[in-house]
Amino acid sequence: MSESSSIETLAAILRAEIARLAPGDRLPSSRDLIVRHGVGPVTVARAIALLAAEGVVVTRPGSGTYVAPRRPRPTADAPDMSWQAVALAGRDSDTGGSDGTSETLPDGVIAMAGGYLHESLQPTRALGAALARAARRPDAWHRAPTAGLAPLRAIFARLAGGAVGPEDVLVTGGAQGALSTLFRAIAPPGGPVLVESPTYPGALAAARAAGLRPVPVPVDDDGIRPDLLADAFAMTGARLMYCQPTVHNPTGAMLSPGRRRQIVDVARAAGAFLIEDDFARHLGHGAPLPRALVADDRDGTVVNLTSLTKPASPSLRIGAVIARGPVMRRLQAMRLVDDFFIARPLQEAAVELLSTPAWDRHLRTLGGALRERCATLADALAHEVPDWTLTRLPAGGLHLWLQLPSGSADSAVAAAARAHGVAVDAGARYYPAEPQGSYLRVGFAAAADLSELTAAASRLGAVAREAGRHR
């Protein structure tokens, strides 16, 4: 019997047993299930993970597995929504690409998926003070300019550097929505968009929702390869490329100095735009990060995208697009169709936050904390999972990119990790086409503290040992 069928068989048996139990009843231990059903520990772990995903059971690491509260049965007069399946037919519903986990994890599960800071790393006090000062401004609730408040645009321009001016800045409601707007504004429906492989899943989802076709361009230790990028432009006729040259997500790679000008030149020669996702601009681990590509671009080839959400708080939905020429006028016109302007109180709060010494102190503290967390997790993983290969120690960002041993299925390992109380991201979702190996993205910023990171590494070690016994 195959492993997958064994998992389904055991899950079916457990569903029948759970139907006879009451919510809150404890299931037999994993050891008891192994002996009773004659299966391996990985089979038990994955069957439990499957039931947990279905909402049938709740796992509490260190305590056991319990019957979840019953879901109410549909009543006879429940509304029939089945007609919507026909009405929505033909519309892409790829919404699984977000990089920030929206689910509430069960108690005891350590968060190492998603892309936001733990509350202890967020500048909560400075945010509260900035919002309070903004609210006291007499014009705090006036309509904001379409392009954004002039002081905020000036701040974003200064942060970008080079010849970027306030007139080149459009304030946005974070980065994800702005990315979706950029894809719709620049590329025609059905057209190709070149992306790094692997890349940020939220970009893949936004591109597909805009009716675009992501085309992968491989990366190596120095980032995206300019030779293959030129080939991809020539073969597809693409007029748009999306990339993350500074602390690539998920690999953590940094586009080498020699390639930074090359890829801009390649895009310019193809008559194409280059979207520079600068999400990690404030997430360096101490050493200065390379300045944005847009700072040295005078032809309007580069469109830069940045945000305050990652380094501050998920709810500070303020970002900026930097662009020059007709594309900026098109983006401003789309703003009038989409949402008119970004809420002024939030923009005012962002101005207050970025204009005080507290912001610089926060960034210095954050950089040190991320560096310590990154090193702690890397050391713990080297001890607990020596067969998992850390591709690099990144100079910034929130994640590590780990290659699994040959023959490992990243989705199965991620499910087993969840069953052991650790939420990680399977690598396959970061590829626009076929994965080039089996990987996990493991975050170090969402956990509560260093002890949680070492505990998570220990739990992943148990996952690796169980998987090794069954390979």
Side-chain angles (χ1 to χ4, degrees), residues 189-255:
V193 54
L194 306 187
V195 299
E196 295 153 317
S197 181
T199 191
Y200 167 47
L204 297 177
R208 289 168 179 147
L212 305 183
R213 176 171 51 89
V215 177
V217 181
V219 300
D220 59 19
D221 290 342
D222 292 324
I224 195 166
R225 290 180 51 181
D227 57 336
L228 297 181
L229 177 62
D231 290 344
F233 274 125
M235 292 170 57
T236 64
R239 291 294 178 263
L240 178 62
M241 172 197 171
Y242 166 85
C243 67
Q244 299 171 97
T246 303
V247 191
H248 175 253
N249 177 19
T251 69
M254 195 81 72
L255 190 63

Side-chain angles (χ1 to χ4, degrees), residues 12 18 26 83 154 180 187 232 235 285 338 406 415:
I18 290 167
R26 188 176 185 275
W83 66 271
S180 177
M235 292 170 57
H285 294 176
D338 289 348
S406 177

Side-chain angles (χ1 to χ4, degrees), residues 78-90:
D80 180 9
M81 305 292 184
S82 59
W83 66 271
Q84 294 188 5
V86 178
L88 294 172

Side-chain angles (χ1 to χ4, degrees), residues 296-383:
D296 300 310
D297 170 52
R298 296 182 179 275
D299 301 318
T301 298
V302 179
V303 177
N304 178 277
L305 177 63
T306 189
S307 171
L308 301 178
T309 301
K310 298 290 187 186
S313 166
S315 287
L316 187 61
R317 308 301 300 176
I318 291 290
V321 168
I322 298 172
R324 299 183 180 94
V327 68
M328 173 56 82
R329 293 191 289 274
R330 178 174 294 189
L331 290 171
Q332 291 177 349
M334 292 183 69
R335 160 65 54 77
L336 294 174
V337 173
D338 289 348
D339 53 13
F340 292 108
F341 56 89
I342 303 302
R344 184 162 189 148
L346 205 55
Q347 291 192 63
E348 297 280 12
V351 172
E352 291 285 350
L353 178 68
L354 298 178
S355 301
T356 63
W359 177 247
D360 291 331
R361 288 196 299 270
H362 164 65
L363 293 182
R364 288 194 297 271
T365 301
L366 177 61
L370 292 178
R371 181 174 64 251
E372 184 180 25
R373 283 167 170 254
C374 179
T376 297
L377 180 58
D379 289 344
L381 290 172
H383 175 72

Side-chain angles (χ1 to χ4, degrees), residues 358-415:
W359 177 247
D360 291 331
R361 288 196 299 270
H362 164 65
L363 293 182
R364 288 194 297 271
T365 301
L366 177 61
L370 292 178
R371 181 174 64 251
E372 184 180 25
R373 283 167 170 254
C374 179
T376 297
L377 180 58
D379 289 344
L381 290 172
H383 175 72
E384 297 287 351
V385 286
D387 291 339
W388 296 7
T389 303
L390 177 62
T391 58
R392 66 182 47 78
L393 199 65
L398 311 173
H399 317 96
L400 298 178
W401 186 240
L402 297 162
Q403 185 169 17
L404 300 177
S406 177
S408 300
D410 52 17
S411 57
V413 174

Side-chain angles (χ1 to χ4, degrees), residues 50-148:
L50 179 61
L51 295 176
E54 295 173 357
V56 177
V57 299
V58 176
T59 58
R60 298 171 187 167
S63 175
T65 303
Y66 298 83
V67 178
R70 308 290 190 203
R71 295 175 179 174
R73 294 178 178 273
T75 60
D77 59 349
D80 180 9
M81 305 292 184
S82 59
W83 66 271
Q84 294 188 5
V86 178
L88 294 172
R91 182 65 182 173
D92 192 349
S93 61
D94 180 7
T95 57
S98 174
D99 199 32
T101 179
S102 60
E103 65 175 318
T104 301
L105 296 175
D107 291 341
V109 176
I110 299 175
M112 305 184 81
Y116 294 126
L117 301 176
H118 187 267
E119 291 179 2
S120 62
L121 298 178
Q122 298 173 21
T124 307
R125 183 173 298 179
L127 282 166
L131 191 61
R133 291 193 301 271
R136 291 195 293 269
R137 293 188 176 189
D139 56 353
W141 291 98
H142 290 185
R143 173 173 174 158
T146 299

